[in-house]
Amino acid sequence: MTYEPHGKHLIAGAWVGSDDTFASQPVSGPAHHTANGGAAEVDAACQAAEEAFWTYGYSTRAERAAFLNAIADEIEERGDQITDIGTRETGLPEARLQGERGRTTGQLRLFASHILDGAYLDQRHDAALPDRAPLPRPDLKMVQRPIGPVAVFGASNFPLAFSTAGGDTASALAAGCPVVVKGHPAHPGTGEIVAEAIKAAIEKTGMPAGVFSLIQGNTNDLSAALVNHPLINAVGFTGSLGAGRALFDMCAARPTPIPFFGELGSVNPMFLLPSTMSERGAEMAAGWAGSLTMGVGQFCTNPGVVVAIDSPETDAFIAAATEALSAVGAQTMLTEGIANAFRAGRDRIAGTKGVREVLTSTCDLRNATPYLFATTGAEWLANHALGHEVFGPLGLIVRVADADEMRAVARSLDGQLTCTLMMQDDDTDLARALMPVLERKAGRVLVNGYPTGVEVCDAMVHGGPYPASTNFGATSVGTLAIRRFLRPVCYQNLPDALLPTDLT
């Protein structure tokens, strides 16, 4: 079923246009013109969000759970239309978008269940001790409370699961925080139809209209206006290191600084240990090639770097990976900008001293083909830039001299979303030596798997030390994500009539 966008913002329950517009750049079908927001639209949305907070921030968990489930229902009701506009705008295959839609609705339902359970509130009570000497103790109660309106930036590579109704929005709404989304200009129609679903859920459940707004636009001024608005209390962002760092600095420079929860970049290194290389090198090469090129390498957990000890088995691994990657044809990237950045990254790696080209080809426009390069541990350690992310299907194999140099490479890493150990029982001693390093470097450590699958559940951590994310104590996936948009409040000697309902 074809969906034709109307190209407007959703602000406080109303669809609002503007004279200034930008044209989408779909992979197929006609371009559509979408309203380009600015400071006026940001102020209207933020004012509405602040007003909504006085109701929504004090709603019951049951009411918010019903709202989240209603959003999921409305998204599912529009499933075919979402897939239609999503494939046209992004070039992602139908199956990928259908799966991502399921992840999006699953996140919403997971948070609905999570808040009903109530454990996230971390309630604490120290009863009064009036007879304690030398001083009495007052009655103290603590609970997590929502922080207020939150800004969310849609991501280019996940038009559903990390965008309009994605994980940041779901966790903020679950916490009791109204949300203002800055839609990603790569898929404005997809963002619009999901916003229609949220609007329908607002009306169905009787939530205040300002609890959610979507502002479309493709200018840096719009982003700056949203981050700097005094009524915004936190920002959720998934995107490039350059853009994310600029927004992070804005958040810190505000008269009242606010937290910036940004997921910015990671090369997700895989350490292939000697015994497993001997036993299943060809199998790992095929698996790595598949993970590296999945979704044209446009995943934040794309495993772009392999570290292996120099040996004939490593030669065989490289040969098998080259063969597997050679069979992968050109694929369409999400945007022209991403494709251009991928080629620039390729050229940067290829032009680095000590890097050998293993597999190269020609790609143009929005098309991308796999690239494979190899270097030594010594060259890696001498050139920090080799550890910078190239967003796309590009792999770099680092051949280290021995286990000591492997540990040195691990210690040289910037913060990562993931680090992976491919190992067998005979590799346990080396793996044990690497573990203290890897757990300091990454938010998730894997054994004998590929990091491109991120399960949405209680135990998942999708974050890590900078630049993987800007707040190492947070995650953007899983139920712990809700804690980003809460703060603890202590109530001393308050009568029950004044306490939040979650404490009575």
Side-chain angles (χ1 to χ4, degrees), residues 292 302-305 342 345-346 349 370-373 390 392-396:
L292 184 70
N302 181 36
V305 172
F342 173 64
R346 171 204 63 191
I349 296 294
Y371 288 85
L372 183 60
F373 298 91
V390 178
L394 184 148
L396 176 64

Side-chain angles (χ1 to χ4, degrees), residues 439-465:
E439 71 177 13
R440 287 188 68 188
K441 296 293 182 178
R444 178 164 54 114
V445 181
L446 299 78
V447 168
N448 293 338
Y450 299 95
T452 38
V454 182
E455 186 70 27
V456 181
C457 60
D458 290 328
M460 178 53 64
V461 173
H462 191 63

